[in-house]
């Protein structure tokens, strides 16, 4: 209705009037043709334009994945340079579109562009800029690597980092100045542009994940072959090259790349989520209610202290793990054991925190905020969906431990660790969801500067209804304003104003829990992101599922788990502000 | 609000009153404890109960998949009997829950149970009953197979079919008499029961898919080894057994099973979708607007005739393909070529039909029905999501064809066929989505007996808002009744009553297109469901991606594609009724 309704009715009336006055069939044919032409060029229905561009984006992605699969094969007939050439083409296309978009906006500077104030926060943009800078460092390393091996590398290995660097700079500029735009002209075309940008970033993410997985696999295979004397051929990550002069610097670049991968990966997945929000916003009408958030930090002691302790010990465990895992068999086994024991302790404390939070909610009963809020729903769905990877890993481990004949020391700690991983995600998801869905009257009254429904932090927060593309006037609830609902809430919970003290105590506990969980989730991101992946090193699951099946599972589940940890940090930060 | 609001307020008031009158801290402690106990036992918030049970269901599913992965390994340390035992346990649990549920409903016969009239149609229940009967035949074959090999098979191979048969009978009874129930008592417990039933069926579906894939793989490997003299060991599907007397009948049973697999697989996936609707309905308030649908069939000629022709020729192609694929290399290649050429012709006609339908919509412009209808949204999302499998297959084929050195005759027909598959799904999805989202005023006036928004056919049709679990009073739009909206529509399109003839012509064309597409989609379900899978037989993709990677892709994508075809038949049937 909203998008093309206005045009429609006037147009249709015009058509109807003219068709009733003229009755000759050739005239009518001409008119139908004209009408067809007009409709094809101009106002394509919004819902269909969404699917039209969405299907284009998905197919782009699937082509990329198909090429990656061909590259990753045992005896690849498709080379990595082909893949890089394909991705480079996509980036160039995106660059052209962004340039065109920016120029168009420059030219129309006078007409006010509608903006979605909730689309990002300066916090997120700052974090993305840092990640982008690290990506630029990575690109410079790539160029350095190419210079070292230039005699025997395809030219695409030089073109790719240059285009990627340009792409990164242009994209950061776009994120700073245009990501909040609500596109209202040339909607169907812009939809294609934005979804192209989304899936280009998703493919770059996939490419990063693949490179990282390959690197891990090579390390893993090297370790296996050197220690257990299994006869698996080592695939060298460096090209066979005659030039001996440059190899030392280039190897340095190649080693440096490894530590920059995790940041580049997170950069691309975050950008694609932001661009997806922009895509969803195209053609929407945004109600501009600017909210300001103030985060209160008083009374926070135990949570941050415990959290920082966890973070510090995690970094220690990470360093010990990485150094010991390169050693002899006993050292490796002790490293794995250490990891599991450390994990069990941390996860147990996290489970306990989440359970306490949930118990506090049960004791302090309050109806859920049942108002329609699609952003929140998307957040919880992403949380739920990205848990699947890690849950699947854990259950595979449980099945493997129960079936194996191996007598390694960490067999049962692995079982306990896996069950704790499942339990921790189960409880943490429940805790986050309940926190996000609870009504907030109480907070409002004690902190009048806090907004009622503060969703600003969430990267997906701008997807307020009508997020689904179906615009429904009924959402606006003309007979029940927010003020009236607040009134109702105040009536229902007036009595709670009396016991002020215990409520604040509860809020303080919840805030501490949230901070602690944020630190723990950062720790659990750090460990796998920088190479602490006992699933590769313990050998239990690999025995049961076979090398190729198990590494496939890991290559699918670990990136999903990394995304889960990042996303839960963002969600927990919102929880921290709301409670 | 809706679910636990009533209880809350009265309870809370009581608590507040008592807490303000008594000030001793031990008294208050006791009260908090009581309150906690009450909250834990009774009115768990609805949103959280959904996630609580949803997470349970997903984890159940993941355990099952982990066990399956272990069974499917190269040197399985987990045997198939373990998997069957696990699934049998789940079925027994579901049986106990269903029995308990039915008995409870029997005892409370006097209190009226709310029912969701849109949950299923008699058409769907009838189809499911037929599928269930075929599943029972399959179980009897399984029992016969066990009797033949009883001396060397684990007892679980007898227990499994008996439990499965009992489960099927009980479940069909449940579907007939209770699937429309809207549960209002013991909600959290019932949620666990229903989600357990959903994922038990999903696991049975996975198990069926795995058995079928295994059977295909065995056939495929046998063919490869007999023809191309590759040295792959043949895995016999029959156990090594000393008893020679019974093997002939048992082999007959085992061969018969193969033809019953596709029906059993469709049965389980459909039941799980229906149960999922029931799960979503728990605790909802259903507005009871009984609709009756009348399907008009006058003026349908070209669509059904072309469709039946397609169906008949498909069956012919299927039979020829299956017989020739067992022959020598030339015969196999000619069978694959024949399949691709036939596919290209059929898909080209389908693309043309869809494009014509879309052009008719463009010429006959009408705003989309932007009212909130989550059922429709879920339908389109399922359509979109299940397209992914087949799109991915096609793009893999395209990449393989472009990279291969092979000179087989069907190299380029494979490319054209793959691109047509992508294009056909692209256009068909757009056509279905536009058909479901268009306003229907016109239809109403010419066929007053047709309802305005007829979603009855769709299996997910009962998920009207508040499907998402967030109950929003605003949905009910008190200031704008459906009648008023119809009035608006009538005003806007009054002029269209004059050119009655061309509109009816358009509707007729659209109806014919829908019928034709239904038949084509049934054909495209039949071909892979009964063994026509050239992706296994053409060898092109296998060369590029390697045997294991490519069969993994196929095992994931083909079941998804089968579901897509079934679901698009259901959606197109709805389109047929709406246009």
């Amino acid at each position: 209705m909203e998008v093309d309704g206005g045009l429609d009715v006037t147009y249709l009336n015009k058509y109807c009037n003219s068709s009733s006055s003229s009755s000759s069939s050739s005239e009518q044919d001409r008119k139908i043709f004209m009408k067809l032409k007009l409709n094809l060029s101009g106002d394509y229905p919004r819902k269909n334009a969404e699917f039209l561009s969405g299907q284009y984006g998905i197919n782009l992605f699937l082509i990329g994945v198909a090429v990656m699969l061909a590259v990753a094969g045992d005896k690849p007939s498709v080379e990595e340079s082909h893949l890089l050439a394909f991705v480079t083409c996509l980036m160039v296309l995106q660059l052209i579109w962004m340039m065109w978009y920016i120029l168009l906006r420059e030219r129309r500077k006078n007409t006010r562009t509608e903006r979605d104030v909730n689309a990002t926060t300066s916090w997120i943009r700052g974090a993305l800029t840092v990640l982008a800078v690290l990506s630029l460092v990575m690109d410079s390393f790539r160029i350095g690597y190419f210079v070292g091996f230039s005699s025997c590398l395809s030219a695409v290995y030089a073109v790719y980092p240059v285009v990627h660097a340009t792409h990164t700079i242009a994209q950061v500029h776009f994120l700073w100045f245009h990501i909040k735009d609500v596109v209202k002209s040339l909607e169907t075309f812009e939809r294609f542009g934005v979804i192209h940008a989304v899936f280009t970033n998703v493919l770059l993410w996939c490419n990063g994940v693949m490179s990282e997985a390959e690197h891990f696999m090579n390390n893993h295979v090297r370790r296996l072959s050197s220690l257990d004397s299994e006869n698996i051929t080592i695939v060298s990550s460096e090209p066979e090259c005659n030039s001996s002069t440059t190899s030392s610097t280039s190897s340095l670049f190649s080693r440096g790349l490894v530590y920059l991968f995790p940041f580049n990966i997170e950069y691309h997945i975050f950008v694609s989520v932001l661009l997806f929000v922009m895509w969803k916003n195209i053609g929407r009408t945004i109600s501009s209610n600017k909210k300001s958030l103030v985060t209160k930090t008083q009374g926070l002691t135990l949570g941050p202290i415990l959290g920082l302790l966890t973070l510090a010990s995690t970094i220690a465990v990470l360093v010990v793990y990485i150094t010991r895992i390169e050693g002899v068999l006993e050292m490796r086994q002790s490293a794995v054991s250490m990891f599991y024991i450390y994990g069990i302790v941390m996860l147990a404390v996290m489970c306990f925190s989440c359970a306490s939070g949930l118990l506090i909610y049960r004791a302090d009963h309050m109806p859920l905020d049942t108002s329609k809020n699609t952003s929140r729903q998307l957040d919880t769905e992403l949380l739920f969906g990205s848990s699947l990877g890690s849950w699947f890993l854990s259950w595979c481990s449980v099945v493997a431990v129960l079936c194996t004949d191996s007598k390694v020391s960490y067999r049962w700690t692995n079982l306990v660790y896996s069950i704790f991983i499942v339990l921790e995600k189960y409880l943490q998801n429940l805790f986050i969801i309940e926190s996000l869905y609870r009504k907030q009257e109480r907070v409002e009254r004690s902190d009048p500067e806090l907004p009622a429904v503060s969703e600003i932090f969430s990267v997906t927060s701008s997807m307020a209804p009508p997020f689904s593309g179906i615009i429904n006037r009924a959402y606006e609830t003309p007979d029940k304003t927010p003020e009236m609902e607040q009134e109702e809430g105040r009536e229902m919970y007036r009595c709670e104003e009396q016991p002020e003290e215990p409520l604040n105590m509860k809020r303080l506990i919840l805030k501490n829990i949230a901070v602690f969980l944020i630190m723990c989730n950062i720790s659990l991101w750090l460990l796998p992101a920088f190479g602490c992946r006992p699933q590769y090193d313990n050998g239990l699951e690999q025995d049961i599922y076979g090398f190729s099946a198990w590494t496939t599972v890991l290559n699918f589940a670990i990136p999903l788990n990394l995304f889960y940890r990042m996303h839960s940090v963002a969600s927990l930060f919102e929880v921290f502000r709301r409670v």
Side-chain angles (χ1 to χ4, degrees), chain A residues 216-233:
Chain A
F216 254 92
M217 201 68 72
N218 285 346
N219 260 2
H220 181 51
V221 170
R222 183 173 49 73
R223 217 178 290 138
L224 277 185
S225 55
S226 67
L227 286 167
D228 308 339
S229 69
E230 287 184 21
N231 52 353
I232 299 170
T233 52

Side-chain angles (χ1 to χ4, degrees), chain A residues 278-560:
Chain A
M278 187 185 176
W279 181 70
K280 275 289 181 190
N281 274 344
I282 292 175
R284 269 184 61 197
T285 322
I286 307 283
S287 58
S288 58
N289 45 341
K290 180 91 183 160
K291 300 161 188 169
S292 63
L293 264 185
V294 177
T295 310
K296 293 215 162 183
T297 50
Q298 67 211 31
L300 283 175
T301 46
L302 199 63
I305 289 170
L306 272 181
L308 285 174
L309 266 179
T310 312
L311 207 58
S313 51
T314 299
I315 291 168
V317 165
L318 181 65
V319 171
V320 172
Y321 185 91
I322 288 175
T323 47
R324 289 184 81 93
I325 205 68
E326 298 285 342
V328 292
L329 191 67
E330 286 86 56
M331 276 176 86
R332 289 174 58 206
Q333 288 195 346
S334 76
V336 174
S337 285
M338 176 200 67
F339 175 86
Y340 282 132
I341 290 165
Y342 177 71
I344 289 168
V345 173
M346 176 156 65
L347 290 168
V349 179
M350 285 171 82
C351 285
F352 176 75
S353 312
C354 292
S356 320
L358 285 170
L359 278 177
I360 288 173
Y361 284 144
R362 288 285 75 68
D364 176 27
H365 197 79
M366 184 169 280
L368 294 189
D369 174 17
T370 52
S371 65
K372 181 80 188 167
N373 184 332
T374 324
S375 90
R376 189 166 52 188
Q377 201 177 334
L378 197 89
D379 270 354
T380 54
E381 275 167 13
L382 277 179
L383 213 59
F384 184 69
S386 55
S387 307
L388 294 184
S390 159
W391 276 337
F392 185 55
L393 268 194
S394 299
W395 288 120
C396 284
S397 295
V398 168
V399 169
V401 166
L402 293 178
C403 299
T404 190
D405 306 322
S406 166
K407 293 271 175 289
V408 287
S409 58
Y410 48 75
R411 180 176 171 186
W412 299 108
T413 45
N414 185 2
L415 181 81
V416 177
Y417 172 81
S418 301
I419 289 171
F420 263 119
I421 281 277
V422 173
L423 201 65
E424 187 267 325
K425 281 215 170 69
Y426 204 119
L427 291 172
Q428 184 170 289
N429 288 349
L430 285 177
F431 175 68
I432 293 174
I433 290 161
E434 177 136 17
S435 305
L436 297 184
Y437 272 96
R438 280 168 77 87
K439 279 234 166 79
Q440 290 197 287
E441 283 81 4
R442 219 178 42 207
V443 184
E444 265 172 88
R445 238 162 307 123
S446 49
D447 300 353
E449 73 269 39
L450 269 175
V453 190
S454 59
E455 297 273 339
I456 289 178
F457 180 77
S458 159
V459 284
T460 55
S461 67
S462 72
M463 291 191 191
F467 141 78
S468 61
I470 314 169
I471 290 98
N472 189 353
R473 297 276 177 226
Y475 278 127
E476 289 157 19
T477 339
D479 61 334
K480 206 178 194 180
T481 59
E483 287 77 20
M484 279 168 73
E485 280 181 304
Q486 278 184 22
E487 271 303 314
E488 270 182 34
R490 221 161 277 165
E491 258 171 41
M492 276 167 65
Y493 296 97
R494 182 146 299 164
C495 58
E496 292 208 15
E497 285 184 38
Q498 292 148 13
E500 182 87 347
E501 209 54 25
L503 282 178
N504 269 339
M505 194 59 209
K506 277 176 196 156
R507 280 187 56 206
L508 210 58
I509 295 173
L510 289 173
K511 266 194 190 296
N512 275 300
I513 289 175
V515 171
F516 173 68
L517 287 177
I518 287 172
M519 298 290 194
C520 287
N521 276 287
I522 292 174
S523 305
L524 289 172
W525 178 79
L526 276 176
L527 287 170
F530 288 93
C532 192
R533 301 181 179 183
Q535 297 92 345
Y536 279 102
D537 302 313
N538 69 23
L540 281 174
E541 294 92 350
Q542 200 173 298
D543 278 357
I544 298 292
Y545 297 103
F547 182 78
S548 70
W550 182 238
T551 49
T552 308
V553 170
L554 287 180
N555 289 341
F556 150 80
I558 287 180
L560 214 59

